[in-house]
Amino acid sequence: MAVEPVVYGASERPPRGDYARAGADYTCAQNYAAYTEADHDTYRRLYERQSRLLPGLASQAFIDALPSLGERDRIPRFEEVNERLYQATRWELVAVPGLIPEVPFFTLLANRKFPVTDWIRTPEEFDYIVEPDIFHDLFGHVPLLFNPVFADYVQRYGQGGLKAHGLGACEMLSRLYWYTIEFGLIRESEGLRAYGAGILSSSGELPYSVQSPEPQRLPLQLARTMRTRYKIDTFQQTYFVIDSFQQLFDMTAADFSPIYQALKGQPEFAANEREEALTA
């Protein structure tokens, strides 16, 4: 019997997806036969739009890995992607009906299994969707799992998440996920580029995050990141920048327990709080 799913973020709506299909670990079979031609067309149009935007905005590592997804005119089959992904970095995709609770999520990542929502947005949600769907998860997240260093970082995050859950520090750690895996920027030889899935799967936020003068862009520091709140329904006002995936991996090698302890009771920063306000 499937357990009751939890709701994440600021939304009070129940999560989408058929959780009755999920097992105890929240994974399920990808119901490929359920996709309609309209679903495949939505995926094709989303892929086409986003791929055109990538040059000059997306991390070169992401651009190089994107063809490894395979199908671009139809929704890919997870087992076909897994044949290439497992060979590259020993990761594999598993289908889930939607957002899942923290411990199952961390456990999957710690075991190099990436949960991918298996339903796709409606045509009316083409430009914006609150919850992650199959396009966000596949196009945004999966290409960089072909990068060995980034793939190891995601596993390390899952392992750290299990520890954070035991310490009551998941909220602080979730901000690291948000500002790296979802909305991270990287400084490459050709300039600032995006590597976070939330940016890479958004036609509006991709150019905004890299080119707009409006948001602040800070060097990634663990304590500052873990104290910074975020919003799920607007473009980010703060981004954190890394110099390499190796830097990100090395930065998360330490035991976070002392950081969690030091940050308890300290004031948090609003999502749009400017850096100059911190030293004023």
Side-chain angles (χ1 to χ4, degrees):
M1 182 176 66
V3 290
E4 187 69 19
V6 300
V7 181
Y8 288 94
S11 174
E12 295 181 353
R13 297 181 298 104
R16 287 162 65 170
D18 180 9
Y19 286 80
R21 298 190 297 122
D25 63 353
Y26 281 84
T27 66
C28 58
Q30 183 189 20
N31 188 3
Y32 199 83
Y35 299 132
T36 66
E37 286 304 312
D39 292 334
H40 290 298
D41 185 61
T42 296
Y43 183 88
R44 178 191 62 76
R45 292 189 296 119
L46 285 165
Y47 191 112
E48 184 178 81
R49 180 178 67 175
Q50 287 305 116
S51 59
R52 285 199 308 265
L53 294 173
L54 297 179
L57 297 175
S59 163
Q60 190 60 47
F62 179 87
I63 293 173
D64 292 344
L66 184 58
S68 297
L69 279 184
E71 291 272 10
R72 56 185 299 163
D73 295 329
R74 300 179 69 79
I75 297 171
R77 295 179 183 270
F78 292 175
E79 62 265 27
E80 294 178 0
V81 179
N82 282 340
E83 291 177 3
R84 298 182 290 274
L85 182 58
Y86 189 81
Q87 183 176 0
T89 58
R90 294 299 187 263
W91 272 81
E92 61 181 307
L93 311 182
V94 291
V96 291
L99 294 168
I100 65 175
E102 291 166 341
V103 170
F105 178 70
F106 294 144
T107 300
L108 289 172
L109 296 186
N111 288 282
R112 298 178 88 87
K113 298 177 187 294
F114 195 83
V116 176
T117 301
D118 70 346
W119 53 263
I120 193 164
R121 69 194 70 182
T122 65
E124 292 73 28
E125 298 168 308
F126 189 81
D127 290 321
Y128 177 73
I129 186 170
V130 175
E131 296 174 63
D133 69 342
I134 193 172
F135 179 76
H136 167 82
D137 284 344
L138 272 181
F139 186 95
H141 283 289
V142 174
L144 282 181
L145 290 177
F146 283 86
N147 180 284
V149 179
F150 191 81
D152 286 348
Y153 166 66
V154 178
Q155 181 184 31
R156 176 172 284 176
Y157 181 89
Q159 294 167 340
L162 293 172
K163 295 178 183 178
H165 185 268
L167 296 171
C170 283
E171 184 173 358
M172 283 186 276
L173 190 65
S174 72
R175 293 167 181 166
L176 182 63
Y177 187 95
W178 185 265
Y179 285 116
T180 60
I181 295 172
E182 288 288 357
F183 289 93
L185 297 178
I186 184 170
R187 198 169 301 283
E188 298 184 337
S189 59
E190 299 300 317
L192 194 66
R193 299 291 186 265
Y195 72 90
I199 303 174
L200 293 165
S201 60
S202 168
S203 63
E205 191 147 6
L206 180 53
Y208 168 87
S209 66
V210 175
Q211 298 174 333
S212 173
E214 180 180 340
Q216 67 174 341
R217 302 171 181 89
L218 307 176
L220 181 69
Q221 296 177 335
L222 292 177
R224 173 65 161 97
T225 305
M226 290 182 182
R227 294 172 66 188
T228 305
R229 298 193 296 272
Y230 57 82
K231 293 184 177 181
I232 66 171
D233 55 356
T234 64
F235 291 169
Q236 304 305 302
Q237 293 299 302
T238 298
Y239 296 98
F240 292 93
V241 184
I242 61 173
D243 294 318
S244 69
F245 295 141
Q246 189 65 50
Q247 174 203 3
L248 184 61
F249 180 76
D250 293 343
M251 184 180 292
T252 55
D255 179 9
F256 285 2
S257 301
I259 300 177
Y260 298 147
Q261 189 62 37
L263 294 184
K264 283 184 178 178
Q266 290 196 23
E268 298 177 337
F269 300 118
N272 62 347
E273 189 161 350
R274 306 297 295 185
E275 181 70 12
E276 54 264 25
L278 307 182
T279 55

